[in-house]
Amino acid sequence: MSYATSSQTNITVGVQGRTILEIVLFSAPITVPCCVFLFINGVMLFTLRSKTIFRETSRYILLFNLLIADTVQMALSQILYLLAACRIRLTYPVCGVLAMLSNLTNEISPLTLVVMSLERYVAVCYPLRHSAIITIRNTAVAIIVVWIFSSLNILTRVLLLLDFPFEDLESLQMKDFCAEENMFVGPVSDDYHKVYTYFLFVSASVAVTSSYICVMIAARSASTDKASARKARNTLLLHLVQLGLSLSSTIHNPLVTAISKITDRVIILRIWSIFYVSLILFPRCLSTLIYGIRDQAIRSILMYHLCCRLKLSIIPAKAEVSS
C-alpha cells in the first residue's frame, strides 16, 4: 500500500469517526431525556393496569388511552429524529407509514382531552347522574369513536396522497430525511390538513373552555362540593394547557421550515433541537407529571413502582449488614 493510499484511508476513517462523534454528541442530550420520559410513561401505564380501581374507573381509563397515544407519539418522534440525525433516508412508502402513525397518535391526544373534560364537567355539574352517564361501556364507546374519527382522517389523507403521480419519480428513495413536509403533498392535501387541524383544535378548545366555565359557575353554587369543584376546575385548566401544547406541536415543522430559510444549517439544527424538546417531547410527558403528582391514588403506587428496584436492592444489603 502506497503512502498516498494509506493517508487517504486514514483521512476517510477520521472523517467517519468525527461524523459518528458529532451524531452522538448531537443526539445524546435529547435521546437520554426521551428514554427517561418513555420509561416513566411506561411505569405509569403499568401502574394504571396494576389495580382494579384504575381499570374500572372511567377517568383512569381515559388517562390510560391518553398516555398510550402520547407514548407512541413520543417513540415515533424520537425514531424520526434519530433517523434524521444519522442522515438515514427512507423510501416514501416507509416514511409515509411512520408519518401517518405519528399524525394518528398526535390527534388522539386533543380528542381524549375533550372527553376527559366532559367527564369532569358531568362529575361536578351532574353528580347524581355521573355514575349513570359515565359508565365503563360509555367510556369504551367514546374511546372507540375517538380512534375511528382519527383513523378516518388518516385514511382521507392517504387517499389524497395516492393521487400523486409516484410513477414519474426516478426512485422511491427520499432525497431528504423523513418528515411530513418532505413528502410529496399536493395543494388539496395540504389545504385539507390545515382545515382539519384548525377545526379540530378550535372545537377542542371550545369544548374544554366551556367545561371550565360551567365548572367555575357550579363551584359558586351552594349545593356543590367546593373542594371537588375546585379540583375539577384546576384539572380542566391543566387540560387547556395540555391542549395548547398539543396545538404548538402542529406548528413545529412549519416554524422550523420558515426559520431555515433565513439562517444557516448549524443554527437551525440547534433551534430544531430546542423546538423538538419543548414542543414535541415535553407535552407528551406532561400527563404523567400532572396525574402522577396531583392524584394521590396514583402517586403512591407510581412512586412504589419507580423506586421498587431501589428498595429491593437496599433490603438485601441491610440483611447482610444485620447478619
Side-chain angles (χ1 to χ4, degrees), residues 26-44:
F26 179 72
S27 59
I30 296 176
T31 303
V32 172
C34 181
C35 292
V36 173
F37 293 152
L38 286 173
F39 171 73
I40 295 175
N41 276 19
V43 174
M44 184 70 168

Side-chain angles (χ1 to χ4, degrees), residues 13 78 95 100 180 183 203 211 219 233 240 257 266 276 284 301:
V13 172
Q78 187 62 26
C95 180
M100 293 305 170
E180 186 176 2
M183 296 285 293
S203 302
S211 301
R233 182 190 61 191
L240 278 174
T257 302
V266 176
Y276 175 71
R284 304 306 164 194
I301 302 176

Side-chain angles (χ1 to χ4, degrees), residues 6 8 12 43 69 73 85 109 138 142 188 191 202 213 229-230 268 291 302 304 313:
S6 177
Q8 185 177 3
T12 303
V43 174
Q73 168 68 15
S109 296
N138 291 341
V188 177
D191 292 339
V202 168
I213 294 174
R230 183 172 60 254
I268 192 59
Y291 287 92
L302 177 63
Y304 170 78
S313 62

Side-chain angles (χ1 to χ4, degrees), residues 6 17 23 25 38 48 51 58 65 71 99 115 138 140 148 153 165 169-170 179 182 234 257 270 277 289 308:
S6 177
I23 292 174
L25 293 177
L38 286 173
L48 291 174
K51 297 293 182 180
S58 294
N65 183 69
T71 304
V115 180
N138 291 341
I148 290 177
N153 170 59
L169 296 176
E170 297 179 0
N182 292 331
N234 294 335
T257 302
R270 294 174 181 174
V277 173
L289 297 177
C308 183

